[in-house]
Amino acid sequence: MSIGAGFSSKTAWKREGLQSAYGSPAACGAGDQIPLISESLSPEVAKELDNTIRHKAGVGGSDIIGKGVQGSIEIEAVYRGIEAIFAAALGFCNYTASPATIAAGVYKHTIEPAENLHADGWEAGDGVLANSGLLAGDQKIRRGSLCIDKSVSLWEHGSTMIQAITIKGDAKGVRVTLELIPYKLDRASAVNTTSAAWDIPGADWLSILFQDMVLWIDDYSIVNALTSADAIGVNAFEIKLQNNLKIERDSLSGLYIAEPRREGKRLVTGSFSFPRYESDTFLGNLVAQTRKMAMLRFTGSQIGATGHYRTFWLWLPTLRFDKVDAPVSGSGMIPVAHTFTAELPPGVAMGFPAEATKELLMQIQNDLATNPML
């Protein structure tokens, strides 16, 4: 008899087909394994209790009125292997512009927030050109099949959408937390029956490390670009995108949920902290509500012998501080914690990519030659 253990588990993510219907899982395979740290996805059943009066104090029974799964996973941040997850969370990669070829075997992926996350068609403004290879009926799909082999059984979470993504780091490492909305859990899937073919891209995952990071921040400007003089030393950071997807059922979806749709504005928030209180600059920015712009860049190892390096960027074109804390908690150093909300920029900030017209822009440079949405 198999016994479930975390060390023997295996997890994979596969974007679902460009013409697939919501609720139709994709088969995970080679290159789809992801670097799982922890998982807490729980199936649940909604019931209507029998409360008819029957001369007894107890509940007489119940009827199932809904089935669902909710929870989260945490994964290691890596330079290659989770592009499809980032694309599902933010929603868009330009068809022809991403990835951009930087050199032979070096590609830069640009991932942008989309207005909607439900399936919708590719349009001319998405970079689709004549003879592009897209077929009639192909759609932008921002959902995937998340599969976890727990030894006792293989758990398939079909048509999983990402309610929120949090990227955070400190000296212990850089992690990505995903709050998920799967369509349903299937432990006897006819599509994903084994994890034998799941593997990682390359010989090993290449982790994004905290010490790989530089963080530049200064006043928002369309004239003056960020430079190394704007670098600050932080001991922790966090960036969160909340997609605000609504979970609901209707007469067509039955016991399971309908495809989630955005029910309000997305929200990008974040924080960073200093180990020591040495300046009042950001306190002044809080009071004045000064627009700031920021860039986080992580630089890893060289891609082959190309002279180019694995790189991960988080661009924040406009942010304003919500709170700055410098609490005295004893006789030691006074730390400083800053929280902020990102906003739509008035224009593309100087030195930022041309696509940085939303609250957040993500770029990844690695050796993956294909667009993760295709």
Side-chain angles (χ1 to χ4, degrees):
M1 175 183 289
S2 298
I3 298 176
F7 68 83
S8 61
S9 298
K10 202 174 184 182
T11 306
W13 170 279
K14 182 74 171 183
R15 179 192 48 77
E16 294 177 352
L18 299 183
Q19 297 198 12
S20 64
Y22 179 69
S24 302
C28 295
D32 294 330
Q33 189 177 347
I34 60 174
L36 184 72
I37 300 296
S38 64
E39 169 267 329
S40 60
L41 288 163
S42 302
E44 54 188 24
V45 173
K47 297 185 289 185
E48 181 179 2
L49 300 180
D50 179 2
N51 286 314
T52 57
I53 299 171
R54 43 174 87 228
H55 197 59
K56 295 182 182 296
V59 173
S62 62
D63 294 309
I64 297 176
I65 59 172
K67 294 182 178 181
V69 183
Q70 290 193 62
S72 63
I73 65 171
E74 185 176 61
I75 59 177
E76 183 85 6
V78 292
Y79 286 106
R80 179 174 171 182
I82 56 176
E83 299 86 354
I85 290 176
F86 287 147
L90 274 69
F92 182 66
C93 296
N94 185 282
Y95 186 94
T96 54
S98 183
T101 301
I102 304 302
V106 181
Y107 307 93
K108 181 185 285 188
H109 301 262
T110 298
I111 304 174
E112 310 169 45
E115 295 301 287
N116 297 295
L117 290 184
H118 60 272
D120 61 0
W122 290 91
E123 301 172 357
D126 298 330
V128 179
L129 304 177
N131 303 314
S132 64
L134 281 176
L135 303 176
D138 283 353
Q139 295 185 305
K140 296 192 285 279
I141 299 296
R142 292 87 165 212
R143 50 179 158 81
S145 293
L146 175 70
C147 296
I148 309 172
D149 188 344
K150 299 188 178 185
S151 298
V152 178
S153 61
L154 192 156
W155 293 34
E156 175 194 85
H157 300 92
S159 291
T160 296
M161 297 183 71
I162 299 175
Q163 177 71 282
I165 179 171
T166 303
I167 303 171
K168 57 186 176 182
D170 56 25
K172 297 177 183 177
V174 182
R175 303 282 191 269
V176 179
T177 300
L178 304 167
E179 298 171 30
L180 302 176
I181 308 175
Y183 171 65
K184 71 172 185 178
L185 167 64
D186 191 342
R187 291 181 292 103
S189 171
V191 176
N192 288 287
T193 59
T194 175
S195 64
W198 305 354
D199 63 11
I200 65 177
D204 199 1
W205 284 300
L206 297 171
S207 295
I208 297 174
L209 304 176
F210 187 70
Q211 56 265 37
D212 293 347
M213 181 183 74
V214 295
L215 195 168
W216 296 357
I217 184 170
D218 200 355
D219 292 353
Y220 166 81
S221 175
I222 60 172
V223 176
N224 299 312
L226 292 171
T227 70
S228 58
D230 300 314
I232 59 173
V234 302
N235 61 353
F237 77 91
E238 178 175 304
I239 308 292
K240 180 175 183 177
L241 166 63
Q242 171 59 251
N243 277 319
N244 204 6
L245 300 175
K246 187 173 184 179
I247 301 172
E248 57 188 349
R249 296 177 178 85
D250 57 31
S251 58
L252 293 177
S253 67
L255 291 176
Y256 298 99
I257 62 173
E259 183 178 18
R261 296 200 175 206
R262 208 187 293 280
E263 66 168 340
K265 294 185 178 182
R266 62 178 176 256
L267 183 64
V268 178
T269 57
S271 65
F272 59 85
S273 59
F274 297 153
R276 298 180 300 274
Y277 176 32
E278 298 179 289
S279 171
D280 282 338
T281 299
F282 293 145
L283 281 161
N285 293 156
L286 169 69
V287 174
Q289 282 298 282
T290 306
R291 282 195 181 104
K292 311 292 285 187
M293 58 184 186
M295 177 208 67
L296 290 78
R297 185 183 67 230
F298 301 81
T299 305
S301 58
Q302 187 174 184
I303 302 171
T306 62
H308 296 273
Y309 292 81
R310 295 172 177 86
T311 312
F312 177 54
W313 292 267
L314 291 168
W315 301 92
L316 296 160
T318 301
L319 63 89
R320 297 190 217 231
F321 291 114
D322 302 319
K323 187 178 182 181
V324 178
D325 279 334
V328 177
S329 302
S331 59
M333 295 288 183
I334 299 175
V336 189
H338 314 74
T339 59
F340 61 83
T341 300
E343 303 174 354
L344 294 171
V348 176
M350 177 59 69
F352 278 52
E355 299 89 348
T357 59
K358 307 287 180 63
E359 314 94 293
L360 172 68
L361 185 74
M362 182 183 295
Q363 292 184 310
I364 310 168
Q365 181 168 283
N366 57 25
D367 58 350
L368 177 65
T370 56
N371 185 310
M373 291 190 70
L374 301 174

